[in-house]
Amino acid sequence: TMKALASRDPEFYFVVGETSRSPRPSEQDGVDLHFRSRDAILADLKAGALNQVVVGANGDLYCTSVDNFSSSQTNLFPLIPLGVGQFRALPLKSFAAAFIVPDSFENWQNWLREQAAEGNWNEEKRQQRLLEAKSSFEFALKDSKIRFVLNDNPETAAKRLKQVAEGRVPDDETRAKEIAKTSYDKLLKLLNPVKILDKLSINGAG
């Protein structure tokens, strides 16, 4: 959605962030992310050269520096909840956060399966990703400043995201929030069997 808006409107710029994880087969260095070593990122962090840095669900580092951003355009950048808090603390001219909602839980799960296949995730890594998604849903649903953007197709989703950047309520936000709540409830049901197994393991160990 962010890339779609940046490609359609020269007012917007998609920020390419940095990470310590390895690129997936379909990813290009400098296009999807800047792939760097963990030591190099930590060195920049120690030198104060980073705007923010967060640890992803699988222990990988994700960060941005001033050089990643445009000084003349509205910057678009994907963030996890911790990153939203970090950017809100920066002395920025303006900042708005949007939770981009897939149009159905099933489509989101299909996308996640594709990511898992491409990244060769094991079950532990998949569960970590689901737990990260749980935290993101909870953060968005509880944060009154978050706007909800329905991602049904690139063109209309990009239009809604632009509305958020302009300080407006995006079209179809009520529907987007309802879908987010429904998807969160379904996600909890996916995670429940894991919790039950964990509980059984603990009881069995005792």
Side-chain angles (χ1 to χ4, degrees):
T1 301
M2 288 180 284
K3 287 183 177 179
L5 177 55
S7 67
R8 288 166 167 75
D9 193 327
E11 178 187 344
F12 293 89
Y13 175 77
F14 179 75
V15 177
V16 179
E18 305 174 11
T19 184
S20 64
R21 73 166 172 80
S22 300
R24 298 175 183 130
S26 64
E27 292 177 325
Q28 298 181 49
D29 185 32
V31 176
D32 299 288
L33 285 162
H34 295 290
F35 297 96
R36 306 180 61 205
S37 72
R38 189 181 187 89
D39 288 343
I41 290 176
L42 290 175
D44 280 353
L45 177 63
K46 186 176 181 180
L50 301 178
N51 286 338
Q52 55 90 42
V53 60
V54 296
V55 181
N58 299 303
D60 300 307
L61 300 179
Y62 293 85
C63 62
T64 55
S65 65
V66 175
D67 293 340
N68 297 132
F69 292 82
S70 168
S71 60
S72 59
Q73 297 162 285
T74 299
N75 293 279
L76 303 170
F77 183 65
L79 292 169
I80 64 174
L82 180 59
V84 173
Q86 290 177 348
F87 269 88
R88 282 176 174 167
L90 294 174
L92 301 173
K93 182 178 179 181
S94 64
F95 176 80
F99 189 67
I100 299 176
V101 184
D103 58 354
S104 73
F105 181 78
E106 291 70 28
N107 285 342
W108 174 54
Q109 286 297 300
N110 288 336
W111 174 83
L112 202 61
R113 279 190 283 272
E114 291 174 2
Q115 294 293 301
E118 187 176 3
N120 292 318
W121 296 358
N122 56 25
E123 182 58 23
E124 180 182 1
K125 193 167 185 177
R126 176 179 171 274
Q127 289 298 325
Q128 288 174 338
R129 181 63 184 83
L130 291 175
L131 287 171
E132 181 185 49
K134 176 178 176 288
S135 296
S136 295
F137 273 106
E138 291 172 346
F139 176 81
L141 290 169
K142 292 177 181 177
D143 192 308
S144 61
K145 296 180 181 178
I146 295 286
R147 303 254 63 113
F148 288 77
V149 170
L150 181 62
N151 187 17
D152 48 0
N153 69 70
E155 185 173 348
T156 54
K159 177 184 175 183
R160 296 179 186 115
L161 190 59
K162 182 175 181 178
Q163 290 170 334
V164 173
E166 295 171 344
R168 295 189 284 153
V169 177
D171 294 339
D172 305 305
E173 183 178 46
T174 299
R175 182 182 168 212
K177 194 167 186 177
E178 289 173 352
I179 292 174
K181 289 177 179 177
T182 300
S183 295
Y184 173 67
D185 290 339
K186 290 182 178 180
L187 175 59
L188 290 181
K189 292 178 181 178
L190 270 185
L191 292 170
N192 278 341
V194 177
K195 294 179 181 178
I196 292 172
L197 287 174
D198 286 346
K199 185 176 181 180
L200 290 173
S201 297
I202 292 171
N203 290 340

